[in-house]
Coordinates of all heavy atoms in Angstrom, one line a residue:
M1 N 0.8 -1.2 0.0 CA 0.0 0.0 0.0 C 0.9 1.2 0.0 O 1.8 1.3 0.8 CB -0.9 0.0 1.2 CG -1.8 1.2 1.3 SD -2.9 1.3 2.7 CE -3.3 -0.4 3.0
K2 N 0.6 2.1 -0.9 CA 1.4 3.4 -1.0 C 0.9 4.4 0.0 O 1.7 5.1 0.6 CB 1.4 3.9 -2.4 CG 2.2 3.1 -3.4 CD 2.1 3.7 -4.8 CE 2.8 5.0 -4.9 NZ 2.8 5.5 -6.3
K3 N -0.5 4.6 0.1 CA -1.0 5.6 0.9 C -2.5 5.3 1.2 O -3.2 4.7 0.4 CB -0.9 7.0 0.1 CG -1.2 8.2 1.0 CD -1.0 9.4 0.1 CE -1.0 10.6 1.1 NZ -0.7 11.8 0.4
K4 N -2.9 5.7 2.4 CA -4.3 5.6 2.8 C -4.7 6.9 3.5 O -4.0 7.3 4.4 CB -4.4 4.4 3.8 CG -5.8 4.0 4.2 CD -5.9 2.8 5.0 CE -7.3 2.4 5.3 NZ -7.3 1.1 6.1
V5 N -5.9 7.4 3.1 CA -6.4 8.7 3.7 C -7.8 8.6 4.0 O -8.6 7.9 3.3 CB -6.1 9.9 2.7 CG1 -4.6 10.1 2.5 CG2 -6.8 9.6 1.4
A6 N -8.3 9.3 5.0 CA -9.7 9.4 5.4 C -10.2 10.6 4.6 O -9.5 11.7 4.5 CB -9.9 9.7 6.8
L7 N -11.4 10.5 4.0 CA -11.9 11.5 3.2 C -12.8 12.4 4.1 O -13.5 11.8 5.0 CB -12.8 11.0 2.1 CG -12.0 10.1 1.1 CD1 -13.0 9.6 0.0 CD2 -10.8 10.7 0.5
A8 N -12.8 13.7 3.9 CA -13.6 14.6 4.7 C -14.8 15.1 3.9 O -14.6 15.5 2.8 CB -12.8 15.8 5.2
P9 N -16.0 15.0 4.5 CA -17.2 15.5 3.8 C -17.2 17.0 3.6 O -16.7 17.7 4.5 CB -18.3 15.1 4.6 CG -17.8 14.9 6.0 CD -16.4 14.5 5.8
V10 N -17.7 17.5 2.5 CA -17.8 19.0 2.3 C -19.2 19.4 2.3 O -19.5 20.6 2.2 CB -17.1 19.4 1.0 CG1 -15.6 19.2 1.1 CG2 -17.6 18.7 -0.2
D11 N -20.2 18.5 2.4 CA -21.6 18.7 2.4 C -22.1 18.3 3.7 O -21.9 17.2 4.2 CB -22.2 17.9 1.2 CG -23.7 18.2 1.1 OD1 -24.4 18.6 2.1 OD2 -24.2 18.0 0.0
E12 N -22.8 19.2 4.4 CA -23.4 18.9 5.7 C -24.3 17.7 5.7 O -24.3 17.0 6.7 CB -24.2 20.1 6.3 CG -23.3 21.3 6.7 CD -24.1 22.5 7.2 OE1 -25.3 22.3 7.6 OE2 -23.6 23.6 7.2
Q13 N -24.9 17.4 4.6 CA -25.8 16.2 4.6 C -25.0 14.9 4.6 O -25.5 13.9 4.8 CB -26.7 16.3 3.3 CG -27.6 17.4 3.3 CD -28.5 17.5 2.0 OE1 -28.1 16.8 1.0 NE2 -29.5 18.3 2.0
M14 N -23.7 15.0 4.3 CA -22.9 13.8 4.3 C -22.0 13.7 5.5 O -21.1 12.8 5.5 CB -22.0 13.9 3.0 CG -22.7 13.9 1.7 SD -23.6 12.4 1.3 CE -22.2 11.5 0.6
N15 N -22.2 14.5 6.5 CA -21.3 14.5 7.7 C -21.3 13.1 8.4 O -20.3 12.8 9.0 CB -21.8 15.5 8.8 CG -21.3 16.9 8.4 OD1 -20.4 17.1 7.6 ND2 -21.9 17.9 9.0
S16 N -22.3 12.3 8.3 CA -22.3 11.0 9.0 C -21.5 9.9 8.2 O -21.1 8.9 8.7 CB -23.7 10.5 9.2 OG -24.4 10.3 8.0
V17 N -21.2 10.2 6.9 CA -20.5 9.3 6.0 C -19.0 9.2 6.5 O -18.4 10.3 6.7 CB -20.6 9.7 4.6 CG1 -19.8 8.8 3.7 CG2 -22.1 9.7 4.1
T18 N -18.5 8.0 6.6 CA -17.0 7.9 6.7 C -16.5 7.1 5.5 O -17.1 6.2 5.0 CB -16.7 7.0 7.9 OG1 -17.3 5.8 7.9 CG2 -17.1 7.8 9.2
A19 N -15.4 7.6 5.0 CA -14.8 7.0 3.7 C -13.3 7.0 3.8 O -12.7 8.0 4.3 CB -15.3 7.8 2.5
M20 N -12.7 6.0 3.3 CA -11.3 5.8 3.2 C -10.9 5.5 1.8 O -11.6 4.8 1.1 CB -10.8 4.7 4.1 CG -11.0 4.8 5.6 SD -10.0 6.1 6.4 CE -8.4 5.5 6.2
A21 N -9.8 6.1 1.4 CA -9.3 5.8 0.0 C -7.9 5.3 0.2 O -7.1 5.9 1.0 CB -9.3 7.1 -0.8
S22 N -7.5 4.2 -0.5 CA -6.2 3.7 -0.4 C -5.6 3.7 -1.8 O -6.3 3.3 -2.8 CB -6.2 2.2 0.1 OG -6.8 2.2 1.3
L23 N -4.3 4.0 -2.0 CA -3.6 3.9 -3.2 C -2.7 2.7 -3.1 O -1.9 2.6 -2.2 CB -2.8 5.2 -3.5 CG -2.0 5.2 -4.8 CD1 -2.9 5.1 -6.0 CD2 -1.2 6.5 -4.8
M24 N -2.9 1.7 -4.0 CA -2.2 0.5 -4.0 C -1.3 0.4 -5.3 O -1.7 0.9 -6.3 CB -3.1 -0.7 -3.9 CG -4.1 -0.6 -2.8 SD -3.5 -1.1 -1.2 CE -3.3 -2.8 -1.4
K25 N -0.2 -0.3 -5.2 CA 0.6 -0.6 -6.4 C 0.8 -2.1 -6.4 O 1.3 -2.7 -5.5 CB 1.9 0.2 -6.4 CG 2.6 0.1 -7.7 CD 3.7 1.1 -7.8 CE 4.3 1.0 -9.2 NZ 5.2 2.1 -9.5
N26 N 0.5 -2.6 -7.6 CA 0.7 -4.1 -7.8 C 1.5 -4.2 -9.1 O 0.9 -4.0 -10.2 CB -0.6 -4.8 -7.9 CG -0.5 -6.3 -8.0 OD1 0.6 -6.8 -7.9 ND2 -1.6 -7.0 -8.2
D27 N 2.7 -4.6 -9.0 CA 3.6 -4.7 -10.2 C 3.7 -3.3 -10.8 O 4.1 -2.3 -10.1 CB 3.2 -5.7 -11.2 CG 3.2 -7.1 -10.6 OD1 4.1 -7.4 -9.8 OD2 2.3 -7.9 -10.9
S28 N 3.3 -3.1 -12.0 CA 3.3 -1.8 -12.6 C 2.0 -1.1 -12.6 O 1.8 0.0 -13.2 CB 3.8 -1.9 -14.1 OG 2.9 -2.7 -14.8
K29 N 1.0 -1.7 -12.0 CA -0.4 -1.1 -12.0 C -0.7 -0.4 -10.7 O -0.3 -0.9 -9.6 CB -1.4 -2.2 -12.2 CG -1.3 -2.9 -13.6 CD -2.3 -4.0 -13.7 CE -2.1 -4.7 -15.0 NZ -3.1 -5.8 -15.2
E30 N -1.3 0.8 -10.8 CA -1.7 1.5 -9.6 C -3.2 1.4 -9.5 O -3.9 1.5 -10.5 CB -1.2 2.9 -9.6 CG 0.2 3.0 -9.4 CD 0.7 4.5 -9.1 OE1 -0.1 5.4 -9.2 OE2 1.9 4.6 -8.8
M31 N -3.7 1.2 -8.3 CA -5.2 1.2 -8.1 C -5.6 2.1 -6.9 O -4.8 2.3 -6.0 CB -5.6 -0.2 -7.7 CG -5.3 -1.2 -8.8 SD -5.6 -2.9 -8.3 CE -4.0 -3.2 -7.5
V32 N -6.8 2.6 -7.0 CA -7.4 3.4 -5.9 C -8.6 2.5 -5.4 O -9.4 2.0 -6.2 CB -8.0 4.7 -6.4 CG1 -8.7 5.4 -5.3 CG2 -6.8 5.6 -6.8
I33 N -8.6 2.3 -4.1 CA -9.7 1.5 -3.5 C -10.4 2.5 -2.5 O -9.8 3.1 -1.7 CB -9.2 0.3 -2.7 CG1 -8.4 -0.6 -3.7 CG2 -10.3 -0.4 -2.0 CD1 -7.6 -1.7 -3.0
L34 N -11.7 2.6 -2.7 CA -12.5 3.5 -1.9 C -13.5 2.7 -1.1 O -14.2 1.9 -1.7 CB -13.2 4.6 -2.7 CG -14.0 5.6 -1.8 CD1 -13.6 7.0 -2.1 CD2 -15.4 5.4 -2.0
Q35 N -13.6 2.9 0.2 CA -14.6 2.2 1.0 C -15.3 3.3 1.8 O -14.7 4.2 2.3 CB -13.9 1.3 2.0 CG -13.2 0.1 1.3 CD -12.4 -0.7 2.2 OE1 -11.5 -0.2 2.9 NE2 -12.7 -2.0 2.3
A36 N -16.7 3.1 1.8 CA -17.5 4.2 2.5 C -18.6 3.4 3.4 O -19.0 2.4 3.0 CB -18.1 5.1 1.5
E37 N -18.9 4.1 4.4 CA -19.9 3.6 5.4 C -20.9 4.7 5.7 O -20.7 5.9 5.5 CB -19.3 3.1 6.7 CG -18.4 2.0 6.5 CD -17.7 1.6 7.8 OE1 -17.9 2.3 8.8 OE2 -17.0 0.6 7.8
Q38 N -22.1 4.3 6.1 CA -23.2 5.2 6.5 C -23.7 6.1 5.3 O -24.1 7.2 5.5 CB -22.8 6.1 7.7 CG -22.4 5.2 8.9 CD -21.9 6.1 10.1 OE1 -22.1 7.2 10.1 NE2 -21.4 5.4 11.0
L39 N -23.7 5.5 4.1 CA -24.2 6.1 2.9 C -25.7 6.1 2.9 O -26.3 5.1 3.4 CB -23.6 5.5 1.7 CG -22.1 5.7 1.5 CD1 -21.7 4.6 0.5 CD2 -21.8 7.0 1.0
K40 N -26.3 7.1 2.4 CA -27.8 7.1 2.3 C -28.2 6.1 1.1 O -27.5 6.0 0.1 CB -28.4 8.5 2.1 CG -28.2 9.1 0.8 CD -29.0 10.4 0.7 CE -29.0 10.8 -0.8 NZ -29.9 11.9 -1.0
Q41 N -29.3 5.5 1.2 CA -29.8 4.7 0.2 C -30.2 5.5 -1.0 O -30.7 6.7 -0.9 CB -31.0 3.9 0.6 CG -30.6 2.8 1.7 CD -29.6 1.8 1.2 OE1 -29.8 1.2 0.2 NE2 -28.5 1.8 2.0
L42 N -30.1 5.0 -2.2 CA -30.3 5.7 -3.4 C -31.6 5.4 -4.1 O -32.2 4.3 -3.7 CB -29.2 5.4 -4.4 CG -27.8 5.8 -4.0 CD1 -26.8 5.2 -5.0 CD2 -27.7 7.3 -3.8
K43 N -32.1 6.2 -4.9 CA -33.3 5.9 -5.7 C -33.0 5.0 -6.8 O -31.8 4.9 -7.2 CB -33.9 7.3 -6.3 CG -34.3 8.3 -5.2 CD -34.7 9.6 -5.8 CE -35.0 10.6 -4.8 NZ -35.1 12.0 -5.3
D44 N -34.0 4.4 -7.4 CA -33.8 3.5 -8.5 C -33.1 4.2 -9.6 O -33.4 5.3 -10.0 CB -35.1 2.9 -9.0 CG -35.7 1.8 -8.1 OD1 -34.9 1.3 -7.3 OD2 -36.9 1.6 -8.2
G45 N -32.0 3.5 -10.1 CA -31.3 4.1 -11.2 C -30.1 5.0 -10.8 O -29.3 5.4 -11.6
E46 N -30.0 5.3 -9.5 CA -28.9 6.2 -9.1 C -27.7 5.4 -8.6 O -27.9 4.2 -8.2 CB -29.3 7.1 -7.9 CG -30.3 8.2 -8.3 CD -30.6 9.1 -7.1 OE1 -30.7 8.6 -5.9 OE2 -30.9 10.3 -7.3
V47 N -26.5 5.9 -8.7 CA -25.3 5.3 -8.2 C -24.4 6.4 -7.6 O -24.6 7.6 -7.9 CB -24.5 4.6 -9.3 CG1 -25.3 3.5 -10.0 CG2 -24.0 5.6 -10.4
Y48 N -23.5 6.0 -6.7 CA -22.4 6.9 -6.2 C -21.3 6.8 -7.2 O -20.9 5.7 -7.6 CB -22.0 6.4 -4.9 CG -22.9 6.8 -3.7 CD1 -23.8 5.9 -3.2 CD2 -22.9 8.1 -3.2 CE1 -24.7 6.3 -2.2 CE2 -23.8 8.5 -2.2 CZ -24.6 7.6 -1.7 OH -25.5 8.0 -0.7
Q49 N -20.9 8.0 -7.7 CA -19.8 8.1 -8.7 C -18.5 8.6 -8.0 O -18.6 9.5 -7.2 CB -20.2 9.0 -9.8 CG -19.1 9.3 -10.8 CD -18.8 8.1 -11.7 OE1 -19.7 7.5 -12.3 NE2 -17.6 7.7 -11.9
I50 N -17.4 8.0 -8.3 CA -16.1 8.4 -7.7 C -15.4 9.2 -8.7 O -15.3 8.8 -9.9 CB -15.3 7.2 -7.3 CG1 -16.1 6.2 -6.4 CG2 -14.0 7.6 -6.6 CD1 -16.7 6.8 -5.2
W51 N -14.7 10.3 -8.3 CA -14.0 11.1 -9.2 C -12.6 11.4 -8.6 O -12.4 11.6 -7.4 CB -14.7 12.5 -9.4 CG -16.0 12.4 -9.9 CD1 -17.2 12.3 -9.2 CD2 -16.4 12.4 -11.3 NE1 -18.3 12.2 -10.0 CE2 -17.8 12.2 -11.3 CE3 -15.7 12.4 -12.5 CZ2 -18.5 12.2 -12.5 CZ3 -16.4 12.3 -13.7 CH2 -17.8 12.2 -13.7
L52 N -11.6 11.3 -9.4 CA -10.2 11.7 -9.1 C -10.0 13.0 -9.8 O -10.2 13.2 -11.0 CB -9.2 10.7 -9.6 CG -9.3 9.3 -9.1 CD1 -8.2 8.4 -9.7 CD2 -9.2 9.2 -7.6
I53 N -9.6 14.1 -9.0 CA -9.6 15.5 -9.5 C -8.1 16.0 -9.5 O -7.5 16.0 -8.4 CB -10.6 16.3 -8.8 CG1 -12.0 15.7 -8.9 CG2 -10.5 17.8 -9.4 CD1 -13.0 16.5 -8.0
E54 N -7.7 16.4 -10.6 CA -6.4 17.1 -10.7 C -6.6 18.5 -11.3 O -7.0 18.6 -12.4 CB -5.5 16.3 -11.6 CG -4.1 16.9 -11.7 CD -3.2 16.1 -12.6 OE1 -3.6 15.1 -13.2 OE2 -2.0 16.5 -12.8
N55 N -6.2 19.5 -10.5 CA -6.4 20.9 -11.0 C -7.7 21.2 -11.5 O -7.9 21.7 -12.6 CB -5.3 21.2 -12.0 CG -3.9 21.1 -11.5 OD1 -3.6 21.4 -10.4 ND2 -3.0 20.6 -12.3
E56 N -8.8 20.7 -10.8 CA -10.2 20.9 -11.2 C -10.6 20.2 -12.4 O -11.7 20.4 -12.9 CB -10.5 22.4 -11.3 CG -10.3 23.2 -10.0 CD -10.6 24.6 -10.1 OE1 -11.5 25.0 -11.0 OE2 -10.1 25.4 -9.4
N57 N -9.8 19.2 -12.9 CA -10.2 18.4 -14.0 C -10.5 16.9 -13.5 O -9.6 16.2 -13.1 CB -9.0 18.2 -15.0 CG -8.7 19.6 -15.6 OD1 -9.6 20.3 -16.0 ND2 -7.4 19.9 -15.6
P58 N -11.8 16.6 -13.5 CA -12.2 15.3 -12.9 C -12.1 14.1 -13.9 O -12.2 14.3 -15.1 CB -13.7 15.5 -12.7 CG -14.1 16.5 -13.6 CD -13.0 17.4 -13.8
V59 N -11.7 13.0 -13.3 CA -11.6 11.7 -14.1 C -12.5 10.7 -13.4 O -12.3 10.5 -12.2 CB -10.2 11.2 -14.2 CG1 -10.1 9.8 -14.8 CG2 -9.2 12.2 -14.9
A60 N -13.4 10.1 -14.1 CA -14.3 9.2 -13.5 C -13.5 7.9 -13.1 O -12.7 7.4 -13.8 CB -15.4 8.8 -14.5
A61 N -13.8 7.5 -11.8 CA -13.0 6.3 -11.3 C -13.9 5.2 -10.8 O -13.5 4.6 -9.8 CB -12.1 6.8 -10.2
G62 N -15.0 5.1 -11.4 CA -15.9 4.0 -11.0 C -17.2 4.4 -10.3 O -17.3 5.6 -9.9
S63 N -18.1 3.5 -10.1 CA -19.3 3.8 -9.4 C -19.8 2.6 -8.6 O -19.3 1.5 -8.9 CB -20.4 4.2 -10.4 OG -20.7 3.1 -11.3
F64 N -20.7 2.8 -7.6 CA -21.2 1.7 -6.8 C -22.5 2.0 -6.3 O -22.9 3.2 -6.2 CB -20.2 1.3 -5.7 CG -20.0 2.4 -4.7 CD1 -20.8 2.4 -3.6 CD2 -19.1 3.4 -4.9 CE1 -20.6 3.4 -2.6 CE2 -18.9 4.4 -3.9 CZ -19.7 4.3 -2.8
V65 N -23.3 1.0 -5.8 CA -24.5 1.2 -5.1 C -24.3 0.6 -3.7 O -23.7 -0.5 -3.6 CB -25.6 0.4 -5.8 CG1 -26.9 0.5 -5.0 CG2 -25.9 1.1 -7.2
P66 N -24.6 1.3 -2.6 CA -24.3 0.8 -1.3 C -25.3 -0.4 -1.0 O -26.4 -0.5 -1.6 CB -24.6 2.0 -0.4 CG -25.5 2.9 -1.1 CD -25.2 2.7 -2.6
D67 N -24.8 -1.2 -0.1 CA -25.7 -2.3 0.4 C -26.8 -1.8 1.3 O -26.8 -0.6 1.6 CB -24.9 -3.5 1.0 CG -24.2 -3.1 2.3 OD1 -24.5 -2.1 2.9 OD2 -23.3 -3.8 2.7
S68 N -27.6 -2.7 1.8 CA -28.7 -2.2 2.7 C -28.3 -1.6 4.0 O -29.0 -0.9 4.7 CB -29.7 -3.4 3.0 OG -29.0 -4.4 3.6
S69 N -27.0 -1.9 4.4 CA -26.4 -1.2 5.6 C -25.7 0.1 5.3 O -25.2 0.6 6.3 CB -25.4 -2.2 6.2 OG -26.1 -3.5 6.6
G70 N -25.7 0.5 4.1 CA -25.1 1.8 3.8 C -23.6 1.7 3.5 O -22.8 2.7 3.5
H71 N -23.1 0.5 3.3 CA -21.7 0.2 3.0 C -21.5 0.1 1.4 O -22.3 -0.5 0.8 CB -21.2 -1.1 3.6 CG -21.2 -1.0 5.1 ND1 -22.2 -1.5 5.8 CD2 -20.3 -0.6 6.0 CE1 -22.0 -1.3 7.1 NE2 -20.8 -0.8 7.2
G72 N -20.4 0.7 1.0 CA -20.1 0.6 -0.4 C -18.6 0.7 -0.7 O -17.8 1.2 0.1
A73 N -18.1 0.1 -1.8 CA -16.7 0.1 -2.1 C -16.5 0.0 -3.6 O -17.4 -0.4 -4.4 CB -16.0 -1.1 -1.5
V74 N -15.4 0.5 -4.1 CA -15.0 0.5 -5.5 C -13.5 0.4 -5.6 O -12.8 1.0 -4.8 CB -15.6 1.7 -6.3 CG1 -14.9 3.0 -5.9 CG2 -15.5 1.5 -7.8
M75 N -13.1 -0.3 -6.6 CA -11.6 -0.4 -6.9 C -11.5 0.0 -8.3 O -12.2 -0.4 -9.2 CB -11.1 -1.9 -6.8 CG -9.7 -2.0 -7.0 SD -8.9 -3.6 -6.6 CE -9.6 -4.6 -7.9
Y76 N -10.5 1.0 -8.5 CA -10.3 1.6 -9.8 C -8.8 1.4 -10.2 O -7.9 1.8 -9.5 CB -10.6 3.0 -9.8 CG -10.3 3.8 -11.1 CD1 -11.1 3.6 -12.2 CD2 -9.3 4.7 -11.2 CE1 -10.8 4.2 -13.4 CE2 -9.0 5.4 -12.3 CZ -9.8 5.1 -13.5 OH -9.5 5.8 -14.6
E77 N -8.6 0.7 -11.3 CA -7.2 0.5 -11.8 C -6.9 1.7 -12.7 O -7.6 1.9 -13.7 CB -7.1 -0.8 -12.6 CG -5.7 -1.1 -13.0 CD -5.6 -2.4 -13.7 OE1 -6.1 -3.4 -13.2 OE2 -5.0 -2.4 -14.8
M78 N -5.9 2.4 -12.4 CA -5.5 3.6 -13.1 C -4.7 3.2 -14.4 O -3.6 2.7 -14.3 CB -4.7 4.6 -12.3 CG -5.6 5.2 -11.2 SD -4.7 6.5 -10.3 CE -3.8 5.5 -9.1
N79 N -5.3 3.3 -15.5 CA -4.7 2.9 -16.8 C -4.5 4.2 -17.7 O -4.7 4.1 -18.9 CB -5.4 1.8 -17.5 CG -6.8 2.1 -17.7 OD1 -7.3 3.2 -17.4 ND2 -7.6 1.2 -18.4
L80 N -4.4 5.3 -17.0 CA -4.3 6.6 -17.8 C -2.9 6.7 -18.3 O -1.9 6.4 -17.6 CB -4.7 7.7 -16.9 CG -6.0 7.6 -16.3 CD1 -6.2 8.8 -15.2 CD2 -7.1 7.7 -17.3
E81 N -2.7 7.3 -19.5 CA -1.4 7.6 -20.0 C -0.8 8.7 -19.2 O -1.5 9.7 -18.8 CB -1.5 7.9 -21.4 CG -1.9 6.8 -22.3 CD -1.9 7.1 -23.8 OE1 -1.2 8.1 -24.2 OE2 -2.5 6.4 -24.5
G82 N 0.5 8.7 -19.0 CA 1.2 9.7 -18.2 C 0.9 9.6 -16.7 O 0.3 8.6 -16.3
E83 N 1.4 10.5 -15.9 CA 1.2 10.4 -14.5 C 0.0 11.3 -14.1 O -0.1 12.4 -14.5 CB 2.5 10.9 -13.8 CG 2.5 10.7 -12.4 CD 3.8 11.1 -11.7 OE1 4.9 10.9 -12.4 OE2 3.8 11.4 -10.5
L84 N -0.8 10.7 -13.3 CA -2.0 11.4 -12.7 C -1.6 11.9 -11.3 O -1.3 11.1 -10.5 CB -3.2 10.5 -12.7 CG -4.5 11.2 -12.1 CD1 -4.9 12.3 -13.1 CD2 -5.6 10.1 -12.0
N85 N -1.6 13.2 -11.1 CA -1.3 13.8 -9.8 C -2.5 14.4 -9.2 O -2.6 15.6 -8.9 CB -0.2 14.9 -10.0 CG 1.1 14.3 -10.4 OD1 1.6 13.3 -9.8 ND2 1.7 14.8 -11.4
W86 N -3.5 13.6 -9.0 CA -4.8 14.1 -8.4 C -4.6 14.5 -7.0 O -3.8 14.0 -6.3 CB -5.9 13.0 -8.6 CG -5.5 11.7 -8.1 CD1 -4.9 10.7 -8.8 CD2 -5.7 11.1 -6.8 NE1 -4.7 9.6 -8.1 CE2 -5.2 9.8 -6.9 CE3 -6.3 11.6 -5.7 CZ2 -5.3 9.0 -5.7 CZ3 -6.4 10.7 -4.6 CH2 -5.9 9.5 -4.6
D87 N -5.4 15.6 -6.6 CA -5.3 16.1 -5.3 C -6.6 16.0 -4.5 O -6.6 16.4 -3.4 CB -4.8 17.6 -5.4 CG -5.6 18.4 -6.3 OD1 -6.7 18.1 -6.6 OD2 -5.1 19.4 -6.8
T88 N -7.6 15.5 -5.2 CA -8.9 15.4 -4.5 C -9.6 14.2 -5.0 O -9.5 13.8 -6.2 CB -9.8 16.6 -4.9 OG1 -9.1 17.8 -4.5 CG2 -11.1 16.6 -4.2
I89 N -10.4 13.5 -4.1 CA -11.3 12.5 -4.5 C -12.7 12.9 -4.1 O -12.9 13.4 -3.0 CB -11.0 11.2 -3.7 CG1 -9.6 10.6 -4.1 CG2 -12.1 10.1 -4.0 CD1 -9.2 9.3 -3.4
A90 N -13.6 12.8 -5.0 CA -15.0 13.2 -4.7 C -15.9 12.1 -5.0 O -15.7 11.2 -5.8 CB -15.4 14.4 -5.6
I91 N -17.0 12.0 -4.2 CA -18.1 11.1 -4.3 C -19.3 11.9 -4.6 O -19.7 12.7 -3.8 CB -18.2 10.2 -3.0 CG1 -16.9 9.5 -2.6 CG2 -19.4 9.2 -3.2 CD1 -17.0 8.9 -1.3
T92 N -20.0 11.6 -5.7 CA -21.2 12.3 -6.0 C -22.3 11.2 -6.3 O -22.0 10.0 -6.5 CB -21.1 13.2 -7.2 OG1 -20.7 12.3 -8.4 CG2 -20.0 14.2 -7.0
I93 N -23.5 11.7 -6.3 CA -24.7 10.8 -6.7 C -25.0 11.1 -8.2 O -25.1 12.2 -8.6 CB -25.9 11.1 -5.8 CG1 -25.6 10.7 -4.4 CG2 -27.1 10.3 -6.3 CD1 -26.7 11.0 -3.4

């Protein structure tokens, strides 16, 4: 594991959510793993979308639907050309 960080909510409605992001390296591949708890249930057809943001430029990094307990996770293999120096991870509906 290269790095693990706790994500801080920026929306008051998400204050109860806890989320961790881990940056992993396996051979020459880098992956981001995001795990979240206490997520609100979604309406039919909705998903939580993960974004890696570099200089205000978002890159979609997967989506998920939480289970009935409000837990969700996604693993994203970064296969982008060049080096991605993202400074923010965002979770949106």
Side-chain angles (χ1 to χ4, degrees):
M1 180 180 324
K2 287 179 68 175
K3 190 172 191 176
K4 185 174 185 177
V5 295
L7 304 182
V10 294
D11 184 333
E12 288 181 18
Q13 295 177 349
M14 301 290 276
N15 279 343
S16 64
V17 174
T18 56
M20 296 291 295
S22 302
L23 181 60
M24 309 279 289
K25 187 165 186 167
N26 184 7
D27 297 324
S28 62
K29 298 178 182 179
E30 289 193 354
M31 295 171 278
V32 174
I33 300 169
L34 183 125
Q35 297 173 297
E37 299 177 354
Q38 301 178 13
L39 294 161
K40 76 174 192 168
Q41 294 301 306
L42 300 173
K43 299 174 186 169
D44 285 341
E46 289 184 327
V47 297
Y48 282 98
Q49 176 71 50
I50 309 305
W51 301 94
L52 302 179
I53 304 170
E54 178 182 2
N55 298 324
E56 299 183 23
N57 296 314
V59 173
S63 61
F64 66 93
V65 175
D67 66 16
S68 61
S69 300
H71 296 92
V74 68
M75 182 171 69
Y76 176 71
E77 185 177 310
M78 292 187 277
N79 55 359
L80 304 171
E81 292 184 20
E83 187 173 334
L84 180 65
N85 293 310
W86 48 275
D87 51 22
T88 303
I89 296 179
I91 303 172
T92 62
I93 295 175

